[in-house]
Amino acid sequence: MTEKIHTLLVCGGGSSEHEVSLRTADFIAQQLQADDIALRRVEMTADGRLLDAGQKEWLLQHGVLRANDGADNWPVHCVVPSIHGYPGETGDFQSALEMQGVPYFGCGPEASKICFNKVTSKLWFTALGVPNTPYEFITGLDKTDFDKAREALARWGTIFVKASNQGSSVGCYKVSDGGELDKALREAFSYSPFVLIEQAVRARELEVAVYEYKGAIHATPPGEILAPADTFYTYEEKYSEGSHSSTQVMAEGLSQKQLDAIEAYSYRVFESLKLKDLSRVDFFLTEDGDIYLNEINTFPGMTPISMFPKMVMNAGTDYSDYLCSQVRRLARAQ
């Protein structure tokens, strides 16, 4: 290994979260400043090409970043795949890195795939004995599937129709009127081949940062998303400058029993699903005091307003040291 750790920061990707990925990469680049780390950033286009700031095209091959014009080669000791959605959170990019033997920061292919798919993740939560919101899933738009969705709406009153393979509330629709159901189903299927039908619950939205640091797994106290009444935390609410939502880095008013349960569930899914390095585990706390696991984000947003870095720092962890130490650990293991 050379004196410096050559760290490749890859952002962008082919999903609807491309632009947010760039903002996450901005924040990570600010934090990965250390004398022993040489950082190079490339943006992945929707068709998988890697471009630097000067629009030079690169190819990552056998652990070496190679310029397509043949003018430069750069050995890579660690990759930080700052890609929300496809192909980062879906596990595809990690699979390619493993085939090349390149260490990377974040969860592996199988864990990423499980958590990104809303149907698969719900089945896993149930198998692990972790409470989650009641659900059905459908595989098409035939009469049987429509009837199943209509029955769920009649049973629960209000439902969420969710594309199975999207992040950040993309392809997610709240439905309380039968006349809205057809459109919601068709739009959800335009994003994914499978659709989750989930009971809508009136609940507080809580988030926990779970991460590995200095040889141990840490779970922060839950923070809270405070969205306007009778709305849900849409993509626009998460990332737009005009968002009406706010966040609290530590949720207030939870009993010790609730805090203990949320912590135990967070550790259980992180360890049982073989997550690695980081995740954000999201919960609902209903008006009746029920705790439901909502979803797991295997590469949470790290924009200036994102909850994951705020919660990690609030827990007393220096965020720059956290990222730098992970890169050093991965490079040493190469």
Side-chain angles (χ1 to χ4, degrees):
M1 184 185 299
T2 59
E3 185 179 34
K4 287 185 178 289
I5 300 170
H6 286 194
T7 304
L8 181 64
L9 178 60
V10 183
C11 53
S15 81
S16 55
E17 299 177 80
H18 182 105
E19 292 303 316
V20 176
S21 168
L22 305 187
R23 290 159 60 187
T24 286
D26 290 341
F27 182 83
I28 291 174
Q30 292 170 8
Q31 302 298 313
L32 280 177
Q33 299 295 320
D35 291 340
D36 61 338
I37 294 176
L39 188 67
R40 182 168 288 190
R41 170 176 170 160
V42 293
E43 181 177 339
M44 181 182 289
T45 63
D47 59 0
R49 293 178 300 133
L50 301 178
L51 304 175
D52 64 17
Q55 298 299 293
K56 179 191 286 189
E57 189 168 343
W58 297 82
L59 177 67
L60 181 60
Q61 187 177 45
H62 306 302
V64 177
L65 189 66
R66 306 180 190 277
N68 274 13
D69 59 10
D72 193 10
N73 289 329
W74 200 68
V76 175
H77 304 130
C78 180
V79 173
V80 179
S82 170
I83 302 173
H84 302 312
Y86 176 81
E89 285 182 277
T90 58
D92 297 87
F93 186 46
Q94 290 84 345
S95 292
L97 294 173
E98 290 197 358
M99 289 176 67
Q100 297 187 34
V102 181
Y104 57 87
F105 176 64
C107 295
E110 190 67 18
S112 299
K113 210 175 296 289
I114 288 171
C115 294
F116 194 73
N117 186 299
K118 292 180 174 63
V119 173
T120 307
S121 59
K122 296 282 280 186
L123 295 173
W124 266 102
F125 300 162
T126 300
L128 292 172
V130 179
N132 56 95
T133 47
Y135 64 93
E136 302 280 356
F137 59 88
I138 58 177
T139 60
L141 288 168
D142 60 19
K143 183 179 182 302
T144 301
D145 288 310
F146 271 118
D147 287 346
K148 194 173 184 180
R150 291 190 190 100
E151 289 169 6
L153 179 60
R155 182 163 68 250
W156 294 326
T158 303
I159 60 175
F160 281 107
V161 175
K162 298 181 177 181
S164 66
N165 296 80
Q166 291 291 316
S168 284
S169 302
V170 174
C172 179
Y173 309 94
K174 189 175 183 179
V175 177
S176 55
D177 186 304
E180 304 167 349
L181 185 59
D182 183 278
K183 180 182 178 183
L185 289 171
R186 293 185 184 281
E187 290 191 3
F189 272 111
S190 73
Y191 286 101
S192 297
F194 309 105
V195 167
L196 180 75
I197 308 294
E198 192 173 42
Q199 181 182 5
V201 295
R202 293 182 65 87
R204 296 171 64 179
E205 297 186 48
L206 308 177
E207 299 186 343
V208 176
V210 188
Y211 59 103
E212 293 182 281
Y213 182 55
K214 295 185 176 179
I217 300 171
H218 304 266
T220 68
E224 184 168 7
I225 305 299
L226 302 170
D230 298 320
T231 66
F232 69 99
Y233 202 36
T234 64
Y235 181 88
E236 289 74 19
E237 283 293 328
K238 288 179 181 179
Y239 299 117
S240 73
E241 292 182 0
S243 172
H244 299 91
S245 299
S246 61
T247 60
Q248 283 186 336
V249 72
M250 288 189 68
E252 299 176 350
L254 275 67
S255 69
Q256 191 59 51
K257 182 178 179 181
Q258 291 169 334
L259 291 170
D260 290 345
I262 289 170
E263 181 181 69
Y265 293 146
S266 298
Y267 279 118
R268 186 184 304 176
V269 294
F270 192 92
E271 294 170 340
S272 299
L273 294 178
K274 313 299 183 187
L275 306 183
K276 182 175 78 72
D277 295 332
L278 80 167
S279 68
R280 197 193 68 232
V281 185
D282 298 349
F283 293 89
F284 291 135
L285 175 61
T286 72
E287 295 175 332
D288 295 328
D290 295 321
I291 296 168
Y292 291 132
L293 177 55
N294 178 27
E295 64 180 1
I296 300 172
N297 192 313
T298 55
F299 204 94
M302 297 185 206
T303 71
I305 64 171
S306 295
M307 284 289 278
F308 182 85
K310 286 183 177 181
M311 290 187 291
V312 170
M313 288 185 281
N314 185 68
T317 299
D318 182 286
Y319 207 78
S320 177
D321 184 65
Y322 160 62
L323 290 178
C324 291
S325 66
Q326 293 296 88
V327 165
R328 293 182 187 112
R329 178 183 60 80
L330 291 163
R332 283 198 300 268
Q334 188 176 23

